[in-house]
Each structure stands twice: as C-alpha cells, then as structure tokens.
Amino acid sequence: MKAVIMAGGKGTRLSAVLQDIPKPMVNLAGKPLLVHQIENLKENGISDITIVVGHLGHVIQDYFGDGHELGVNITYFVENEPLGTAGALPFMRNQLDEDFILLFGDLFVNINFQRFYRFHERCGADITLYTHPNSHPYDSDIIISDQENRVIDWSYKNSERVQDYKNQVNAGVYVIKPSVLEQIPEGKKTDLEKDIITKMISRKSVYSYACTEYVKDIGTPERLKKVEEDYRKGICEKRNLKNKQKCIFLDRDGTINKHIGFLNSVEQMQLEKNVAEAISKINESEYLAIVVTNQPVIARGECTTEELENINNRMYTLLGNKGAYLDDLYYCPHHPDSGFDGEIKELKFDCNCRKPKTGMIQQAANDHNIDVENSWIIGDTTIDIQTGLNAGLNTALVLTGEAGNDRKYQVNADVCAENLEQCVELIIEKGDQL
Ligand SMILES: [Zn+2]
C-alpha cells in the first residue's frame, strides 16, 4: 500500500508558533507532526510515501531525506505553484499504480489504515472518505451517506442548512483508486472535494468509512495544544481500533432527551438539562458514546423509519450546537405483541435486540471492537440496568426520565446519579474503582 501526504499548505493561522517552518513540521510532543503521520503509516505496513511539498518545502526535504532513518521510502513532488488539494496527483500517475492512501499534512492521525483499506476494498469504491462525528459540525462539511455507506450528498459548511443532519464530517483522509487520477486535469489548481469528489457522488462510487479513531487538524494554536494533551494522556493511541475500546452506552428517551411517553415527532426531541455537557465529557475521555434505544413506535406504525431518523438528526444537531457528539446509535424497531391497528406486522416478533436483550450491545461491540467488561450502560429504567447485567456491562441509573420507577426488574445499578452529567463524571473519574 502507498501513501501520499499533501504538505504544501501555508498554515497562516499557526504562524505564531511556526516561524519559517511549514505547518506539517509543527512540533507536537517533541517531534514534527509529519513524523507522527509517517510512524502511523509505517505501523500499518505502509512504507512507500510521497510527500507533496510547496511553501518552505525544502525544510521537509532536508529533515526526512529519502526516509531511511524512519525505515520508510520517501519521494517528493515539488509544487512550484499551488495546485490545490488534488492538482499534483496526475503527475504521479506512474507511481500510483494501486489504490493509495491520501492524507492532509495538517492532521494528527492515529488510524488503523489496514481496516480502512479493507473497508474500501469490500465496498469496491473509487474513493472512500474517512468520516467521523466532531465537536463543531455547524462549521464543518457534513457527509450524507445511505444504508450501504455510499455518499449521497455533501452539505458545505458555508451553505444555509435548512434541515438536521447526522454528525458525519469529512476528516481529510482517503483511499483512492488510480483511475480517479484520469479525471484530474494536469497542471491546473484543483480541489479534491469540490472539483472531483462531489462530482463523482452521482456515479455512486464514493463511500464513507465512519470511524471513531483520533483524527484532528491542528489548524490553530488552541487545537494544537488540545491534541498534544490528548497525545500525552494516551487517548490518541487508545482510540485506534486495533485496540479494544471502552464505551459508555446511553439510553435515549429519559436519559438524553426529555421523557414524554412515545416520542414520534421532531418537535418533541428536547434535551434533558446539561446533557450536551455530559456527552462532551465522554467525547473528551477515552470512552466512546453510543446510544442503544428501543423504538417500538416503528413496529406500532406510530412513526416511520424516516421520521425516526429525522428525530435522531435533531438530537445530533442539538448536541452538535453545544459541541457534543455520539459515536454511533443503534435502535430496535421491533415489538413482541401483535394484534393492534396500524402495526407493521413484519416487525412484530420477539427479536434479539429489544432491551433487555443484548443484540444491540453485541452488534456495537462487534462493530467498534468494544471491551464490554470495562464499559458501561447508563439509563433511566430498570430495563436498561437489566440489559447491562445481561451483557456483562457496568451499570448506572440516572434519576431523570422514569428514574427507575418502571420497576420491571428487581435490579441494583452499580452507580446511581441525579442526572447524566453527574453520572458521567462519576464513571470517568472513578469508574475503575467502582
Ligand atoms: Zn429488535
């Protein structure tokens, strides 16, 4: 596998910390950002690397040479004038004879590239985008994909958003088929996203790899500082999917949003107090935040799948506006008892996913490589606690929503807290001792 790193950018916002070095050479925890990238690629068996350099490119060339000191083979493409994020690629046609990784030089990444590449191959994609939820979706490009992970639309950050979207942002890391290079004009400034990818969407060959690993740009001094802190805490490495992940599973109704019985319209989606703050704390920690929710309103015919999606998208927007995000969401659309007007017959059966059964937890554990024993479930009902016990999770009851008064099961949670924020603080600060 080969990789191309786009390291030609100017990095004006970082100029205070940079002084005569290009942005990808900024020092992060004792070594240049590019060294972190190259080490991550090498760990994944990727040692053939081309770096596209421009502004102050000689600093990069002088530092790395042919790459042998890092155990890789580096070649360079020198842009005499800026060619945008894709304009250099057609000049490398002869070298790029197989599907290759492309990444931007201003990113700190700790990615399992092999897993990413396998996904790309499985989809048969021309381009696969690495996507993830982030803490500022309102000023990020959002990628909209279908059930098969095919990208179907692109919402630009500067466009006026009239609807809610799932928080799925383009990270700036790609796997690209060499045939894509034929569509890029030679010697002309070309933007990979605007000029190439968005035009390929209609051909249904662009895919989104939604992932929870650590990928952040270091475009401002504040962001750089934050990444450095996370790096020193070991969070960047822990989030790599080659490692087992710790997760806090969250119930939705009564735990995240206000409990109102059977929620079936977007307007009814309102967050409980300080929920965004609570989920932000999870996002900043080593835990994933994944929702598991029973939605029998679907089987009952009280809410369509599309309406449920809109309701969830409203939740993502409300959280996103306050800097919080969910790493994934699983819902059970089923209900066991049939014989009611308007119900969807094929969803009326005794499934394996309806809590307190563990189907959703098992699916999530499989998708996200979760260490169940060291993970948690937080909910407002005894059903959530029973789910946790059945799945082998640690359990926490919040006294919002039904506050455990459903009394379906005689269970005791490991932790009980007034609200989600208190609960999350307890788990993150004292979780290992509880
Ligand atoms: Zn189910």
Side-chain angles (χ1 to χ4, degrees):
M1 209 190 308
K2 295 178 180 178
V4 175
I5 302 174
M6 290 289 175
K10 273 198 173 153
T12 43
R13 280 186 298 181
L14 270 177
S15 50
V17 286
L18 285 181
Q19 296 166 358
D20 301 332
I21 58 165
K23 192 158 142 187
M25 291 301 283
V26 66
N27 186 299
L28 194 143
K31 50 191 175 190
L33 182 63
L34 260 181
V35 173
H36 292 279
Q37 286 197 347
I38 291 168
E39 286 175 347
N40 186 204
L41 289 166
K42 197 190 158 205
E43 274 167 24
N44 283 268
I46 304 163
S47 53
D48 261 324
I49 300 166
T50 302
I51 307 180
V52 177
V53 295
H55 178 68
L56 297 171
H58 61 276
V59 178
I60 295 174
Q61 286 175 288
D62 291 348
Y63 187 93
F64 291 99
D66 63 5
H68 75 271
E69 277 178 32
L70 287 172
V72 293
N73 172 35
I74 300 178
T75 54
Y76 299 90
F77 179 85
V78 181
E79 283 183 349
N80 294 317
E81 53 181 305
L83 291 172
T85 48
L89 293 174
F91 294 102
M92 293 178 250
R93 229 176 260 143
N94 293 333
Q95 292 151 262
L96 300 173
D97 49 1
E98 55 182 90
D99 295 23
F100 63 95
I101 304 279
L102 174 73
L103 72 160
F104 292 137
D106 62 347
L107 297 173
F108 180 88
V109 298
N110 195 322
I111 293 178
N112 183 338
F113 284 103
Q114 295 290 345
R115 189 179 187 272
F116 181 26
Y117 198 85
R118 284 196 298 275
F119 173 90
H120 166 82
E121 283 191 315
R122 223 170 27 242
C123 294
D126 283 341
I127 295 191
T128 304
L129 319 182
Y130 192 104
T131 61
H132 58 175
N134 78 5
S135 61
H136 49 100
Y138 45 85
D139 68 1
S140 304
D141 285 355
I142 287 186
I143 308 301
I144 298 111
S145 55
D146 67 12
Q147 295 289 334
E148 275 79 50
N149 302 302
R150 221 178 267 124
V151 176
I152 51 172
D153 208 352
W154 192 293
S155 170
Y156 286 107
K157 57 182 162 195
N158 300 324
S159 64
E160 197 187 328
R161 286 192 184 135
V162 291
Q163 68 181 98
D164 300 313
Y165 291 112
K166 185 174 171 188
N167 183 341
Q168 183 169 265
V169 170
N170 186 26
V173 187
Y174 310 84
V175 187
I176 302 179
K177 255 202 173 105
S179 60
V180 171
L181 304 190
E182 289 157 25
Q183 296 159 45
I184 306 174
E186 211 168 291
K188 196 178 151 209
K189 195 168 179 177
T190 307
D191 187 84
L192 181 66
E193 288 150 17
K194 286 201 175 67
D195 300 326
I196 307 296
I197 298 178
T198 48
K199 288 183 180 151
M200 290 171 61
I201 288 175
S202 60
R203 271 176 265 152
K204 299 185 189 302
S205 60
V206 181
Y207 282 74
S208 158
Y209 174 68
C211 201
T212 57
E213 292 171 325
Y214 200 94
V215 180
K216 282 202 171 102
D217 81 82
I218 47 92
T220 63
E222 298 74 41
R223 285 189 200 162
L224 176 65
K225 196 168 155 248
K226 178 76 182 61
V227 172
E228 200 154 40
E229 277 171 27
D230 290 344
Y231 177 82
R232 293 191 192 278
K233 283 188 212 155
I235 289 177
C236 312
E237 173 68 13
K238 281 180 183 162
R239 285 284 180 117
N240 188 306
L241 281 177
K242 70 180 185 214
N243 301 314
K244 285 271 178 194
Q245 303 294 303
K246 287 185 178 182
C247 177
I248 298 179
F249 289 100
L250 298 162
D251 169 52
R252 198 192 76 176
D253 303 325
T255 302
I256 292 179
N257 56 282
K258 288 188 177 140
H259 171 69
I260 55 140
F262 296 116
L263 192 157
N264 62 5
S265 80
V266 169
E267 294 69 34
Q268 295 169 317
M269 168 52 73
Q270 289 169 11
L271 300 182
E272 278 279 354
K273 201 171 155 230
N274 285 5
V275 154
E277 289 76 2
I279 293 175
S280 271
K281 284 188 178 135
I282 304 178
N283 301 151
E284 305 265 301
S285 77
E286 62 183 286
Y287 288 93
L288 301 177
I290 296 180
V291 168
V292 283
T293 173
N294 286 348
Q295 291 300 329
V297 284
I298 303 285
R300 289 200 188 96
E302 291 163 5
C303 183
T304 64
T305 307
E306 198 189 345
E307 282 163 342
L308 176 63
E309 241 158 60
N310 290 337
I311 291 166
N312 288 335
N313 288 347
R314 174 60 55 86
M315 171 172 64
Y316 300 135
T317 302
L318 294 173
L319 290 173
N321 287 344
K322 291 185 161 185
Y325 58 86
L326 298 165
D327 290 296
D328 210 342
L329 177 146
Y330 296 82
Y331 69 88
C332 163
H334 310 112
H335 193 260
D337 314 319
S338 58
F340 299 91
D341 285 346
E343 68 185 16
I344 316 285
K345 289 250 171 342
E346 57 272 26
L347 295 177
K348 285 282 189 175
F349 68 95
D350 194 11
C351 66
N352 289 321
C353 43
R354 183 171 161 81
K355 293 184 288 185
K357 290 190 179 169
T358 58
M360 291 189 282
I361 306 284
Q362 282 162 358
Q363 184 66 49
N366 196 36
D367 294 346
H368 297 276
N369 196 21
I370 288 167
D371 172 5
V372 170
E373 220 175 284
N374 288 304
S375 294
W376 289 78
I377 188 167
I378 305 178
D380 68 316
T381 66
T382 62
I383 298 169
D384 297 311
I385 306 309
Q386 186 63 50
T387 309
L389 295 173
N390 291 345
L393 295 160
N394 301 289
T395 58
L397 183 77
V398 281
L399 299 179
T400 51
E402 296 201 54
N405 291 321
D406 60 303
R407 295 177 205 274
K408 290 242 172 47
Y409 299 92
Q410 289 295 321
V411 286
N412 283 316
D414 299 315
V415 166
C416 183
E418 278 303 309
N419 54 47
L420 191 60
E421 196 181 26
Q422 268 187 21
C423 194
V424 166
E425 279 170 6
L426 269 171
I427 291 173
I428 290 174
E429 283 158 26
K430 301 197 182 130
D432 295 339
Q433 302 135 43
L434 291 168

Short mmCIF file of all heavy atoms in Angstrom, two decimals, residues 293-295 331-335 347 349-355 357 359-360, ligand 1:
data_model
loop_
_atom_site.label_atom_id
_atom_site.label_comp_id
_atom_site.label_asym_id
_atom_site.label_seq_id
_atom_site.Cartn_x
_atom_site.Cartn_y
_atom_site.Cartn_z
N THR A 293 -31.28 2.20 21.87
CA THR A 293 -32.63 2.61 22.23
C THR A 293 -33.70 1.70 21.63
O THR A 293 -33.60 1.30 20.47
CB THR A 293 -32.86 4.09 21.81
OG1 THR A 293 -34.23 4.44 22.03
CG2 THR A 293 -32.52 4.34 20.35
N ASN A 294 -34.69 1.35 22.45
CA ASN A 294 -35.85 0.62 21.94
C ASN A 294 -36.80 1.63 21.30
O ASN A 294 -37.17 2.61 21.95
CB ASN A 294 -36.61 -0.07 23.09
CG ASN A 294 -35.87 -1.29 23.62
OD1 ASN A 294 -34.92 -1.76 23.01
ND2 ASN A 294 -36.34 -1.81 24.74
N GLN A 295 -37.20 1.40 20.07
CA GLN A 295 -38.14 2.30 19.39
C GLN A 295 -39.32 1.49 18.83
O GLN A 295 -39.49 1.39 17.60
CB GLN A 295 -37.42 3.10 18.30
CG GLN A 295 -36.42 4.12 18.83
CD GLN A 295 -37.05 5.18 19.74
OE1 GLN A 295 -38.22 5.54 19.56
NE2 GLN A 295 -36.31 5.66 20.73
N TYR A 331 -30.85 1.22 17.16
CA TYR A 331 -32.20 1.18 17.69
C TYR A 331 -32.88 -0.13 17.32
O TYR A 331 -32.57 -0.75 16.31
CB TYR A 331 -33.03 2.38 17.22
CG TYR A 331 -33.38 2.40 15.75
CD1 TYR A 331 -34.54 1.77 15.28
CD2 TYR A 331 -32.57 3.07 14.84
CE1 TYR A 331 -34.87 1.80 13.93
CE2 TYR A 331 -32.90 3.10 13.50
CZ TYR A 331 -34.05 2.46 13.04
OH TYR A 331 -34.36 2.49 11.71
N CYS A 332 -33.78 -0.55 18.20
CA CYS A 332 -34.59 -1.74 17.93
C CYS A 332 -35.97 -1.27 17.49
O CYS A 332 -36.67 -0.61 18.26
CB CYS A 332 -34.69 -2.61 19.17
SG CYS A 332 -36.04 -3.82 19.03
N PRO A 333 -36.39 -1.59 16.26
CA PRO A 333 -37.69 -1.13 15.75
C PRO A 333 -38.82 -2.11 16.08
O PRO A 333 -39.97 -1.88 15.69
CB PRO A 333 -37.45 -1.10 14.24
CG PRO A 333 -36.50 -2.23 14.00
CD PRO A 333 -35.64 -2.35 15.23
N HIS A 334 -38.49 -3.18 16.79
CA HIS A 334 -39.44 -4.30 16.94
C HIS A 334 -40.34 -4.14 18.16
O HIS A 334 -40.09 -3.34 19.04
CB HIS A 334 -38.68 -5.63 17.03
CG HIS A 334 -37.67 -5.81 15.95
ND1 HIS A 334 -36.31 -5.81 16.18
CD2 HIS A 334 -37.83 -5.94 14.62
CE1 HIS A 334 -35.67 -5.97 15.05
NE2 HIS A 334 -36.56 -6.05 14.08
N HIS A 335 -41.35 -5.00 18.21
CA HIS A 335 -42.20 -5.12 19.39
C HIS A 335 -42.80 -6.52 19.38
O HIS A 335 -43.20 -7.01 18.34
CB HIS A 335 -43.30 -4.04 19.36
CG HIS A 335 -44.00 -3.92 20.67
ND1 HIS A 335 -45.23 -4.49 20.91
CD2 HIS A 335 -43.63 -3.33 21.83
CE1 HIS A 335 -45.58 -4.24 22.17
NE2 HIS A 335 -44.63 -3.54 22.75
N LEU A 347 -42.50 -6.44 11.78
CA LEU A 347 -41.64 -6.00 12.89
C LEU A 347 -42.18 -6.47 14.24
O LEU A 347 -41.60 -6.19 15.30
CB LEU A 347 -41.50 -4.47 12.91
CG LEU A 347 -40.78 -3.86 11.70
CD1 LEU A 347 -40.78 -2.34 11.80
CD2 LEU A 347 -39.35 -4.37 11.60
N PHE A 349 -42.33 -9.17 16.35
CA PHE A 349 -41.86 -10.50 16.77
C PHE A 349 -40.88 -10.36 17.94
O PHE A 349 -40.46 -9.25 18.27
CB PHE A 349 -41.23 -11.27 15.60
CG PHE A 349 -39.93 -10.70 15.09
CD1 PHE A 349 -38.70 -11.18 15.54
CD2 PHE A 349 -39.93 -9.67 14.14
CE1 PHE A 349 -37.51 -10.67 15.07
CE2 PHE A 349 -38.73 -9.14 13.67
CZ PHE A 349 -37.54 -9.65 14.13
N ASP A 350 -40.56 -11.46 18.54
CA ASP A 350 -39.68 -11.47 19.70
C ASP A 350 -38.23 -11.48 19.21
O ASP A 350 -37.65 -12.53 19.00
CB ASP A 350 -40.00 -12.72 20.54
CG ASP A 350 -39.40 -12.63 21.92
OD1 ASP A 350 -38.92 -11.54 22.29
OD2 ASP A 350 -39.38 -13.65 22.61
N CYS A 351 -37.68 -10.28 19.02
CA CYS A 351 -36.35 -10.16 18.40
C CYS A 351 -35.24 -10.36 19.43
O CYS A 351 -35.50 -10.55 20.60
CB CYS A 351 -36.22 -8.76 17.79
SG CYS A 351 -36.22 -7.48 19.07
N ASN A 352 -34.02 -10.25 18.96
CA ASN A 352 -32.87 -10.38 19.87
C ASN A 352 -32.29 -9.04 20.28
O ASN A 352 -31.31 -8.97 21.02
CB ASN A 352 -31.76 -11.19 19.20
CG ASN A 352 -32.14 -12.64 19.09
OD1 ASN A 352 -32.73 -13.20 20.01
ND2 ASN A 352 -31.85 -13.24 17.95
N CYS A 353 -32.86 -7.94 19.77
CA CYS A 353 -32.24 -6.64 20.04
C CYS A 353 -33.01 -5.79 21.04
O CYS A 353 -32.44 -4.85 21.62
CB CYS A 353 -31.97 -5.87 18.75
SG CYS A 353 -33.27 -5.88 17.52
N ARG A 354 -34.29 -6.07 21.24
CA ARG A 354 -35.06 -5.23 22.16
C ARG A 354 -34.51 -5.37 23.58
O ARG A 354 -34.49 -6.47 24.14
CB ARG A 354 -36.54 -5.64 22.09
CG ARG A 354 -37.45 -4.80 22.95
CD ARG A 354 -38.92 -5.15 22.66
NE ARG A 354 -39.82 -4.74 23.72
CZ ARG A 354 -40.28 -3.49 23.88
NH1 ARG A 354 -39.91 -2.55 23.04
NH2 ARG A 354 -41.09 -3.20 24.87
N LYS A 355 -34.10 -4.23 24.17
CA LYS A 355 -33.59 -4.29 25.55
C LYS A 355 -34.68 -4.86 26.45
O LYS A 355 -35.85 -4.54 26.23
CB LYS A 355 -33.21 -2.87 26.03
CG LYS A 355 -32.02 -2.27 25.31
CD LYS A 355 -31.62 -0.89 25.89
CE LYS A 355 -32.60 0.20 25.54
NZ LYS A 355 -32.19 1.56 25.98
N LYS A 357 -32.72 -7.46 26.05
CA LYS A 357 -31.85 -8.39 25.31
C LYS A 357 -30.62 -7.61 24.85
O LYS A 357 -30.61 -6.39 24.86
CB LYS A 357 -32.62 -9.01 24.16
CG LYS A 357 -33.68 -9.98 24.67
CD LYS A 357 -34.27 -10.77 23.56
CE LYS A 357 -35.29 -11.75 24.12
NZ LYS A 357 -36.07 -12.36 23.04
N GLY A 359 -28.80 -7.78 21.86
CA GLY A 359 -28.42 -7.75 20.44
C GLY A 359 -27.72 -6.47 20.01
O GLY A 359 -26.74 -6.52 19.27
N MET A 360 -28.23 -5.32 20.48
CA MET A 360 -27.63 -4.04 20.05
C MET A 360 -26.22 -3.88 20.64
O MET A 360 -25.32 -3.38 19.98
CB MET A 360 -28.52 -2.86 20.47
CG MET A 360 -29.83 -2.83 19.70
SD MET A 360 -30.79 -1.31 19.97
CE MET A 360 -31.52 -1.62 21.57
ZN ZN B 1 -35.36 -5.67 17.96
#
